[in-house]
Amino acid sequence: MALRSLLAGPLLKRAAASLSQQAAAASSSSSSSPAALQALPAAWAALRCLGTSASPAAAAAAAEAVAEEVVDLSDILPAPIPIEQQQEQGYYQDLIVPVFDLERRQVGSYTLGGDIFDVPIRRDILHRVVRWQLAKRQQGTHKTLGRSEVRGGGRKPRPQKGSGQSRQGTIRAPQWRGGGVVHGPVPRSHAHDLPKRVRRLGLQCALSAKTWERRLLIVEGLRPAEPRTKTALANVDALLAGAPRRSVLLCDSSKAGEDGGEPLRRSIANLPWVDAIPQQGLNVYSILQRDYLVLTRAAADLLTERLRRPIKPCSETP
């Protein structure tokens, strides 16, 4: 039993490595089903063999044999549904949304992964992530002068005795006008740590909130015909037709991407209610700051791949 427990760690690591490899392979494809379930039979076989009287070699052989099998998840996972049929939020349901052009004409459809765009919305996680972002970007250059840093006050202002007044050693003491400050702020960093899992969950919650509120749009591309403010204004007005107010965050694949890039940023430079950000820099604060979020198809693919990538990949060796 002791030998079996010692081998449990390497077997589970091997099963987890198979899980991470299959998840990475599935994230690169267009399928939105979580391929992490593909390696669950291998882990289950290893645990089952470890819990019985089988030898460690038999357990390892069973885990490797089952890991090579390909499991069909079409009968296990629910089929994607149109976003109009979504009745409740937070059930990890894949959603089919329309894809628009810059004139809001539907040109196709896109499947949003339920593990990213339909997770339960947790306001506490959103609060933690926003607080972490604001604290991290705070400059922390505040500074006051103490009694030893204020200019002057090098001599004793009056004799110790005989004047009938209080005893003073310097005119730059804190109780004097123009004196130093006691326990004042000093330059420091306000940043604090936040686990990567919490940060990723906060981004998923923000994306799920925009999806549930029907304020997430998928477009084929955001590159304007010409980099002019008039062109960008017409495109945004067409995309936000019927919106109560114009406040939108545009997200493309990268600053040099073909779906937006530099022409997009030059055209919206004079629009204070429009922001543009690449998918690599998409964050919770920017999403919640604007009413609408517009993603390009390429940005949605890259974002889905990034959020499905393992935070801490398993090592190849057990």
Side-chain angles (χ1 to χ4, degrees):
M1 187 65 185
L3 180 59
R4 191 178 303 130
S5 62
L6 289 176
L7 291 177
L11 289 177
L12 291 180
K13 285 185 178 180
R14 191 174 300 136
S18 175
L19 187 148
S20 62
Q21 293 174 1
Q22 297 184 19
S27 62
S28 60
S29 62
S30 58
S31 175
S32 60
S33 301
L37 297 178
Q38 296 281 357
L40 288 181
W44 171 249
L47 292 176
R48 184 173 55 187
C49 292
L50 288 172
T52 61
S53 59
S55 62
E64 293 178 357
V66 179
E68 295 177 356
E69 299 180 0
V70 178
V71 182
D72 186 11
L73 300 178
S74 59
D75 299 334
I76 302 176
L77 299 176
I81 62 173
I83 193 172
E84 295 80 9
Q85 301 179 8
Q86 185 186 19
Q87 301 295 332
E88 297 182 357
Q89 196 276 332
Y91 281 87
Y92 302 92
Q93 176 69 55
D94 293 347
L95 303 172
I96 302 176
V97 297
V99 179
F100 301 103
D101 59 5
L102 291 180
E103 297 181 1
R104 203 181 171 85
R105 293 176 300 193
Q106 184 173 350
V107 295
S109 61
Y110 187 84
T111 302
L112 299 176
D115 55 335
I116 298 175
F117 295 90
D118 191 27
V119 304
I121 302 173
R122 294 185 52 181
R123 299 179 63 182
D124 59 323
I125 296 296
L126 295 175
H127 173 265
R128 290 179 61 184
V129 177
V130 170
R131 182 174 174 270
W132 170 77
Q133 284 188 238
L134 297 182
K136 189 176 181 63
R137 78 175 188 178
Q138 188 173 350
Q139 290 184 352
T141 55
H142 36 53
K143 178 69 173 71
T144 57
L145 299 180
R147 61 182 296 167
S148 63
E149 299 170 328
V150 180
R151 181 179 178 86
R155 67 177 181 86
K156 191 174 178 65
R158 53 176 172 261
Q160 181 78 359
K161 293 178 176 295
S163 63
Q165 296 178 328
S166 60
R167 297 165 290 187
Q168 301 293 335
T170 175
I171 61 173
R172 295 298 179 247
Q175 71 272 17
W176 282 75
R177 181 177 180 272
V181 178
V182 181
H183 307 306
V186 296
R188 67 182 181 91
S189 173
H190 292 265
H192 57 270
D193 294 334
L194 190 66
K196 291 183 179 180
R197 298 180 186 275
V198 179
R199 287 182 254 164
R200 177 173 293 187
L201 180 58
L203 185 56
Q204 293 172 351
C205 290
L207 294 173
S208 301
K210 292 299 181 185
T211 305
W212 173 247
E213 295 171 355
R214 306 299 186 262
R215 294 185 176 184
L216 173 66
L217 300 178
I218 304 295
V219 297
E220 195 67 35
L222 288 172
R223 181 183 287 265
E226 50 184 351
R228 297 180 57 189
T229 304
K230 183 177 181 180
T231 305
L233 184 60
N235 295 336
V236 174
D237 286 341
L239 290 174
L240 300 184
R245 67 172 185 171
R246 299 184 298 183
S247 175
V248 61
L249 175 64
L250 308 178
C251 180
D252 56 356
S253 59
S254 64
K255 292 184 178 180
E258 296 295 332
D259 55 344
E262 186 62 25
L264 172 64
R265 285 155 179 79
R266 292 185 61 184
S267 61
I268 66 171
N270 294 328
L271 301 178
W273 41 272
V274 180
D275 291 330
I277 191 171
Q279 64 84 22
Q280 189 67 31
L282 194 63
N283 57 87
V284 175
Y285 183 76
S286 298
I287 294 176
L288 300 181
Q289 192 179 25
R290 297 299 181 183
D291 292 349
Y292 285 83
L293 173 64
V294 179
L295 288 172
T296 63
R297 185 192 292 266
D301 292 338
L302 294 175
L303 182 64
T304 302
E305 178 184 357
R306 178 165 64 92
L307 293 181
R308 284 178 177 172
R309 190 179 303 132
I311 295 178
K312 187 178 180 181
C314 300
S315 59
E316 298 181 359
T317 58

